[in-house]
Structures are given as structure tokens and as C-alpha cells.
Amino acid sequence: GIYPDREVTFSFTINNEIPNIECSLDYGESTKDGFTIRYNPGIIYDQVGDSLLYINNTLVITIDENSPTELMETERTEDRDGAGDYYIRLISSSGNVILSYKVEIKEPLNVWAIVIIVVVSVIVIAVITIIIVLRTRMRIR
């Protein structure tokens, strides 16, 4: 009874949009060559507001109201030290993860590994062929 009646108004927006960041690989897929991600910073800003795009804790782009509205690409290719897991994350300005997925670049086989595989395959085929030929020529008296 001492305090007068008060009126308080709250407004908030619930946003369940998922930003469109395309990767040349599907979620969790692996490659030996590399991958490319495509995104439009202007559309991502319209969907989720200020955000940061990271690949393995490396900042790729800061998305804000001044971001370009054309399609952009970021390419990661395999090199001598490029094999491993790559985590692509879109993080809001408040630190919440909006989008995250993993891409794996596998180390390609070197020349010696390929030579060993070919030699072993030829030996196995030769042994199988010799066994089949000897069994068909064998005579029982």
C-alpha cells in the first residue's frame, strides 16, 4: 500500500534462424585435397546480427552492419602440415556458438606407401594364380 502501482514492459525477439554457410564437404566428411566455405556476410548479419566466423580458432571475418553483401569464399587446402581436423564456427558477439561443424583433411599416401601396396597386391595375385594352376594340373593315380 505504500508504493504506487508500476507498469513495466519487456520486449524481446526470438530468432531461430540458422545462417547459411556452405562447405564443399558435408558435416564430418573428410578429404585429402582441401575444402572451401561460401557465405554472405550481409545475409548472416540480417539473420543473427554481429558475429565472428572462425576456422580452428583463427578469425576469418567479423560480421557486422558494415559487412559486404556479396558472396565470399574462404579456401583451405592440404599442404605438408595441413592434415587434421578443422572446426568451422560462427560465434555471436555475446560468445554463444551459433553454428559449428568439423571437417577433416587426411594426409595423402606418399609414393613409398603406394609402391608397397602395388607390390604386395601383385605378389598376392601371383600366388593365387600359381595355386589355381597347380591344382588344375595335379593328377591323382
Side-chain angles (χ1 to χ4, degrees):
I2 299 174
Y3 297 107
D5 291 339
R6 296 182 186 164
E7 185 176 314
V8 178
T9 305
F10 293 100
S11 66
F12 58 92
T13 303
I14 297 177
N15 183 357
N16 61 355
E17 289 194 53
I18 297 174
N20 188 15
I21 297 177
E22 295 179 8
C23 184
S24 59
L25 301 172
D26 290 332
Y27 292 100
E29 191 175 323
S30 62
T31 183
K32 294 179 185 167
D33 300 327
F35 62 92
T36 303
I37 59 171
R38 290 174 203 82
Y39 52 92
N40 187 324
I43 292 175
I44 292 174
Y45 177 75
D46 289 341
Q47 291 175 326
V48 296
D50 293 339
S51 54
L52 307 167
L53 181 63
Y54 285 94
I55 297 179
N56 275 7
N57 297 328
T58 302
L59 180 63
V60 176
I61 188 171
T62 301
I63 299 172
D64 57 14
E65 68 273 356
N66 299 322
S67 295
T69 57
E70 68 270 357
L71 185 65
M72 298 179 74
E73 290 188 359
T74 299
E75 185 172 347
R76 293 285 192 248
T77 56
E78 194 279 328
D79 56 4
R80 185 173 200 94
D81 298 323
D85 296 336
Y86 289 83
Y87 295 94
I88 301 166
R89 295 177 297 139
L90 183 66
I91 300 177
S92 69
S93 59
S94 61
N96 297 326
V97 177
I98 299 169
L99 178 71
S100 175
Y101 58 94
K102 173 182 137 179
V103 175
E104 182 179 359
I105 294 182
K106 292 185 176 182
E107 189 173 331
L109 293 175
N110 62 21
V111 175
W112 288 110
I114 295 171
V115 168
I116 290 172
I117 290 170
V118 169
V119 168
V120 169
S121 299
V122 169
I123 291 172
V124 168
I125 291 171
V127 168
I128 291 172
T129 305
I130 291 171
I131 290 172
I132 291 173
V133 168
L134 290 177
R135 287 202 49 122
T136 56
R137 293 187 180 201
M138 191 184 323
R139 295 179 192 234
I140 300 175
R141 293 184 187 191

